[in-house]
Amino acid sequence: MEIRYSNNKLFEEYVERLEKVSALNSAAALLQWDEETYMPLAGAAGRARQLATLHQLSHEQFTSEEFGSLLSSLAKESLTPFEEKNVSLTQYDFERETKLSSAFVHRLSRKISEAYHAWTAARKENNFRVFAPHLKAVVELKREEAEMRGYISHPYNAMLDAYERDLSVSALDDLFSKLKTNLEQLISKTKHYHWPQAEILSGTFNKDDQWRWGMFLLSRLGFDFTCGRQDISIHPFSTQIGPGDTRITTRIDERDLMNMTFSTIHECGHALYEQGLLENVSALPAGTYTSLSIHESQSRLWENCVGRNFMFWVHFFPELQKHFPSFAQTDVLSFSKAINKIQPSLIRTEADEITYHYHVMVRYEIEKMLFEKSISVDDIPGVWEELYKAYLGVDVPDDNNGCLQDVHWSHGSFGYFPTYSLGSLYAAQFWEAAKRSVNNLETKLGNGSTTELLHWLRENIHRHGRLYSTEALCIRVTGEPLNPSYFNTYYLHKLQKMFEKQQFKLLRRPSVEMWRLLILP
């Protein structure tokens, strides 16, 4: 959509008001980034008050009667299509946010800050019970929020809507049911493969060497350090402080180089999206991301379609060997197989691309049950163990390797987890579209070049911001709505690259037939 303005005075006032709200949100984002990176522990209580105040002020500015009147007046004005779309999206946000009182926003923000610090304390003690009272309070507030916002059929739908507009429990139940069957068949078809032993990736990797390696990867993937930075946190995350200021974090385990490597590439994908948004409209919907599913599609595309691609490592494995000489006797093919090995595991962020979805399903099931009140917070560890045994066949040894591993619940981010699976499916579909558009894309990866891929993503996804819905954007980019069979094509092509003796019949354009083919006995 072309950016054109009508020089309408009311629209100019609308932009000015959104810029004030954006400034408050940027200040809150900076404080929250500091809270999870450098803030002294003793600052926790004060930071909770600061964030709650900023979130309340932002909410009051955005939901004021004056702003509501301005939006109503703008709806009657003669505006350009670009202006109309932004106003329409803001009107939707306004109606959604006015359902919450400013006092509730303050209370929720403060409790989330307290819950985050309780989660970090629980992680130190490896004890869910330290976190449980705070999580109970957050869950109660989020249930209250669901009632305020309203929902159809299931209270959890109100949570899903915050991350993917109009996403529902019924749609996800159907998707995950089909996906689970498909994954089981894919796993069955790969059981006879000779995967390298896990030891190929083991060793001791100095923290400083890992940091330098991560910074090297970021620079080569296109992360712009003039408008971004990387730091360390307990759980990796990406945040947009404001125009020209995108920050990511990673974590380092000296016994696991791949942990840092892939979390860095994942967060880089988020950051590249944010750095590709249009800065001159940053306060408008046009300058923000489409949805969390699309955001996760970008991180998962870089992490998996690029970062776990054999051709990528044809170029970067020699660089890895320079940083870590212990890999000197390892060949790139064995390494590529090792980082793609299908193997049930305990930690979501370290899972292979196939079993990863089971981790998401576990969290989805637990969140649904919490909102329909069929389980309580105290039940989570036991339910977690049961579902991990059922979905992945693994025994959960402790809370840190179980229900304390993710930061999301301490943030009140219920409804977020399904976007990881959706993002992975969108990523595969975008990847196939990129390969059709960028000549010899994988060959270019083998030469260490990701520039054309990034340019393609910028032109086709990033620069559009929120002007298109998730589905409309997917159709615009790929020619059709979300089609899970693209994930099959992408994954089987990857296996074909690594196991050349195995010949799969790959279709040029995935279809329902391929989806059915893979789930047949």
Side-chain angles (χ1 to χ4, degrees):
M1 184 179 296
E2 183 182 0
I3 299 178
R4 288 195 302 109
Y5 295 101
S6 60
N7 296 318
N8 185 294
K9 296 297 182 184
L10 285 180
F11 189 83
E12 291 176 5
E13 183 182 346
Y14 155 81
V15 173
E16 289 175 5
R17 284 178 175 267
L18 283 185
E19 286 175 343
K20 290 179 180 178
V21 172
S22 179
L24 289 168
N25 291 335
S26 291
L30 180 59
L31 288 181
Q32 189 164 358
W33 168 84
D34 177 68
E35 181 178 40
E36 298 193 30
T37 51
Y38 295 108
M39 188 191 77
L41 185 61
R47 183 57 48 87
R49 291 193 296 271
Q50 294 159 6
L51 282 167
T53 299
L54 283 172
H55 286 138
Q56 182 176 18
L57 287 172
S58 171
H59 183 265
E60 289 173 349
Q61 285 274 330
F62 187 73
T63 60
S64 68
E65 290 185 10
E66 294 81 4
F67 190 52
S69 296
L70 176 59
L71 291 173
S72 297
S73 297
L74 278 168
K76 303 170 187 175
E77 294 288 306
S78 177
L79 303 173
T80 68
F82 173 78
E83 292 172 334
E84 285 182 357
K85 184 64 177 179
N86 278 282
V87 171
S88 174
L89 288 168
T90 304
Q91 182 67 49
Y92 171 83
D93 294 339
F94 176 82
E95 291 172 0
R96 193 171 187 279
E97 292 309 308
T98 51
K99 294 176 181 178
L100 306 182
S101 69
S102 62
F104 176 81
V105 170
H106 186 280
R107 190 156 47 104
L108 177 62
S109 175
R110 189 160 180 174
K111 178 47 66 179
I112 284 172
S113 286
E114 293 170 359
Y116 169 73
H117 292 286
W119 174 75
T120 62
R123 289 272 303 173
K124 289 177 182 177
E125 295 186 32
N126 196 4
N127 187 349
F128 178 76
R129 286 176 296 187
V130 174
F131 179 46
H134 298 272
L135 181 57
K136 287 178 185 177
V138 171
V139 169
E140 283 302 316
L141 286 168
K142 297 302 285 187
R143 286 171 176 164
E144 189 177 342
E145 179 184 337
E147 296 302 320
M148 290 178 180
R149 292 194 186 281
Y151 55 85
I152 297 174
S153 180
H154 199 291
Y156 188 58
N157 287 339
M159 299 295 101
L160 294 170
D161 190 66
Y163 301 103
E164 188 62 63
R165 186 169 171 177
D166 299 326
L167 184 62
S168 68
V169 164
S170 59
L172 281 173
D173 284 347
D174 183 57
L175 174 68
F176 282 139
S177 176
K178 292 176 180 176
L179 183 59
K180 187 173 183 289
T181 302
N182 186 54
L183 297 175
E184 289 168 354
Q185 294 299 321
L186 281 174
I187 291 171
S188 177
K189 288 174 182 291
T190 61
K191 276 185 177 178
H192 62 285
Y193 288 161
H194 178 66
W195 298 96
Q197 295 297 314
E199 287 72 21
I200 196 172
L201 302 175
S202 64
T204 301
F205 307 96
N206 178 268
K207 181 178 180 180
D208 293 336
D209 290 339
Q210 288 200 52
W211 177 258
R212 285 188 287 270
W213 166 242
M215 295 294 276
F216 168 78
L217 283 176
L218 288 174
S219 64
R220 292 296 299 273
L221 293 175
F223 183 85
D224 186 351
F225 283 98
T226 66
C227 54
R229 59 178 290 135
Q230 178 174 245
D231 295 273
I232 300 290
S233 66
I234 299 173
H235 191 104
F237 68 92
S238 172
T239 188
Q240 179 79 345
I241 304 300
D245 190 353
T246 301
R247 306 190 185 193
I248 63 175
T249 68
T250 191
R251 63 181 170 202
I252 294 176
D253 180 346
E254 293 195 326
R255 298 166 300 173
D256 185 359
L257 175 61
M258 294 304 107
N259 191 328
M260 183 282 304
T261 297
F262 288 107
S263 71
T264 296
I265 298 175
H266 179 98
E267 299 306 333
C268 180
H270 281 305
L272 292 174
Y273 186 11
E274 294 286 353
Q275 291 183 342
L277 295 171
L278 300 178
E279 289 191 13
N280 59 335
V281 294
S282 61
L284 304 181
T288 59
Y289 59 87
T290 307
S291 68
L292 255 298
S293 294
I294 297 300
H295 224 311
E296 290 302 337
S297 80
Q298 299 307 284
S299 58
R300 296 293 283 169
L301 184 148
W302 284 96
E303 178 188 358
N304 296 322
C305 303
V306 175
R308 285 189 166 86
N309 190 296
F310 170 71
M311 294 302 293
F312 176 81
W313 290 104
V314 166
H315 176 83
F316 281 98
F317 189 63
E319 298 289 347
L320 177 72
Q321 291 173 314
K322 291 177 185 177
H323 282 79
F324 303 97
S326 60
F327 284 103
Q329 302 305 313
T330 305
D331 65 274
V332 64
L333 181 57
S334 297
F335 175 82
S336 295
K337 289 178 180 179
I339 62 174
N340 283 286
K341 183 177 181 179
I342 299 175
Q343 183 172 339
S345 60
L346 290 164
I347 307 298
R348 175 185 62 86
T349 57
E350 300 169 16
D352 62 82
E353 290 181 77
I354 299 300
T355 62
Y356 180 90
H357 294 284
Y358 293 134
H359 294 261
V360 175
M361 292 177 198
V362 167
R363 290 149 177 78
Y364 169 64
E365 293 297 334
I366 289 175
E367 291 187 358
K368 273 198 307 180
M369 290 187 281
L370 283 172
F371 276 81
E372 62 195 21
K373 299 184 180 180
S374 58
I375 65 168
S376 69
V377 166
D378 289 330
D379 297 325
I380 288 177
V383 174
W384 186 285
E385 291 178 15
E386 291 174 7
L387 290 177
Y388 260 74
K389 191 67 174 178
Y391 278 81
L392 288 147
V394 297
D395 295 312
V396 180
D398 54 36
D399 291 341
N400 279 359
N401 283 289
C403 54
L404 283 177
Q405 66 181 265
D406 290 300
V407 71
H408 300 66
W409 289 345
S410 74
H411 288 164
S413 299
F414 293 94
Y416 189 121
F417 282 115
T419 67
Y420 283 117
S421 280
L422 287 169
S424 299
L425 299 178
Y426 279 115
Q429 191 161 336
F430 292 151
W431 178 249
E432 292 299 321
K435 289 201 297 182
R436 292 196 297 267
S437 298
V438 180
N439 291 330
N440 301 313
L441 174 55
E442 290 186 285
T443 300
K444 286 166 182 170
L445 286 186
N447 293 325
S449 175
T450 59
T451 304
E452 288 187 55
L453 172 62
L454 179 56
H455 176 74
W456 185 87
L457 293 169
R458 290 266 157 89
E459 287 298 307
N460 289 279
I461 297 174
H462 302 176
R463 71 184 181 90
H464 297 299
R466 199 176 153 202
L467 292 176
Y468 300 99
S469 68
T470 299
E471 182 175 356
L473 182 67
C474 186
I475 293 171
R476 181 184 176 88
V477 175
T478 71
E480 60 184 296
L482 180 64
N483 179 351
S485 60
Y486 277 97
F487 181 77
N488 305 323
T489 301
Y490 147 74
Y491 193 74
L492 293 178
H493 176 76
K494 173 184 289 189
L495 294 183
Q496 190 178 44
K497 284 280 187 181
M498 293 185 294
F499 298 92
E500 293 186 10
K501 291 182 180 179
Q502 283 293 328
Q503 297 299 321
F504 289 97
K505 184 180 178 183
L506 296 178
L507 304 184
R508 275 191 172 279
R509 191 166 179 76
S511 62
V512 173
E513 281 64 39
M514 182 173 217
W515 178 260
R516 288 173 180 159
L517 174 68
L518 287 165
I519 62 174
L520 289 174

